[in-house]
Amino acid sequence: DIVMTQTPLSLSVTPGQPASISCKSSESLLHSDGKTYLYWCLQKPGQSPQVLIYEVSSRFSGVPDRFSGSGSGTNFTLKISRVEAEDVGIYYCMQGIYPLTFGGGTKVEIK
Amino acid sequence: QIQLVQSGAEVKKPGASVKVSCKASGYTFTSYAISWVRQAPGQGLEWMGWINTYNGNTKYAQKLQGRVTMSTDTSTDTAYMELRSLRSDDTAVYYCARINVWGQGTLVTVSS
């Protein structure tokens, strides 16, 4: 199975400041169909997870443009350009090649 | 509005089975696969498997092979996940998901 490793484990951010989370996969996530199946999810406290970004850098409808994803192959990054209070929660990267696996999560809190 | 609504919390004894339902609305059910993901208390997310709602094909996580069955009823736009031979470490919140739409979660507690 592909192992997903996220860093850091936690992040404390001042509102309005940027934040960045790294995710590394044990194998390339570039599929034979040319797509890279890397997703970013956010689980807010007490809520179900929500998927913010698919295929490395595409935002789902309704996701603020302060969230951006980048990377290729085995190295990926989620950036929040200006953190807001509503962004607190645990962020997970997830790879979409069978069997799907998740990173261990990065807890983001506000200073 | 697109949503997935799951069945309510369950308490089961070790060795029993549980069947969780996930009713879809607001979109064409057979156009999207449904995945099942679980989260043990205070832990991260674990993918359990997924079902192609169009043809019923399934793929399961290897560690659950033989204990889990995913199915659908296209007449009611409902997906099901059955887990058998329950153990205490199956205690978790179980989610169904259609990529960017997730159910509210179903807490399954396994306790004697």
Side-chain angles (χ1 to χ4, degrees), chain B residues 34-56:
Chain B
I34 291 284
S35 285
W36 289 88
V37 175
R38 68 180 180 177
Q39 186 171 37
Q43 301 301 308
L45 301 170
E46 179 187 13
W47 180 77
M48 300 177 68
W50 64 268
I51 183 165
N52 182 321
T53 54
Y54 181 75
N55 59 21

Side-chain angles (χ1 to χ4, degrees), chain A residues 10-61:
Chain A
S10 64
L11 212 44
S12 184
V13 188
T14 301
Q17 293 300 302
S20 179
I21 300 170
S22 171
C23 177
K24 296 183 192 298
S25 57
S26 60
E27 299 173 26
S28 174
L29 301 184
L30 177 61
H31 193 270
S32 56
D33 63 7
K35 297 180 180 179
T36 300
Y37 291 99
L38 186 281
Y39 302 79
W40 288 99
C41 311
L42 165 60
Q43 187 172 30
K44 296 183 179 181
Q47 295 187 20
S48 301
Q50 58 183 113
V51 182
L52 304 175
I53 287 175
Y54 65 100
E55 294 172 21
V56 181
S57 59
S58 297
R59 283 187 303 274
F60 276 110
S61 174

Side-chain angles (χ1 to χ4, degrees), chain B:
Chain B
Q1 141 210 17
I2 296 170
Q3 57 179 351
L4 299 173
V5 178
Q6 298 182 223
S7 49
E10 304 260 14
V11 179
K12 297 291 183 180
K13 293 194 182 304
S17 299
V18 69
K19 192 169 186 177
V20 179
S21 68
C22 169
K23 182 168 175 57
S25 61
Y27 72 98
T28 301
F29 180 66
T30 51
S31 294
Y32 296 86
I34 291 284
S35 285
W36 289 88
V37 175
R38 68 180 180 177
Q39 186 171 37
Q43 301 301 308
L45 301 170
E46 179 187 13
W47 180 77
M48 300 177 68
W50 64 268
I51 183 165
N52 182 321
T53 54
Y54 181 75
N55 59 21
N57 287 348
T58 54
K59 283 190 176 180
Y60 301 135
Q62 190 167 9
K63 69 177 285 189
L64 296 174
Q65 289 273 5
R67 287 207 301 137
V68 68
T69 300
M70 296 175 188
S71 60
T72 60
D73 181 346
T74 55
S75 70
T76 60
D77 292 348
T78 302
Y80 297 93
M81 186 284 301
E82 181 180 33
L83 190 60
R84 299 176 293 278
S85 302
L86 289 168
R87 310 187 288 245
S88 58
D89 63 356
D90 291 318
T91 294
V93 176
Y94 289 76
Y95 296 101
C96 60
R98 189 212 87 167
I99 301 293
N100 63 329
V101 179
W102 289 57
Q104 82 276 20
T106 297
L107 175 61
V108 175
T109 302
V110 183
S111 173
S112 54

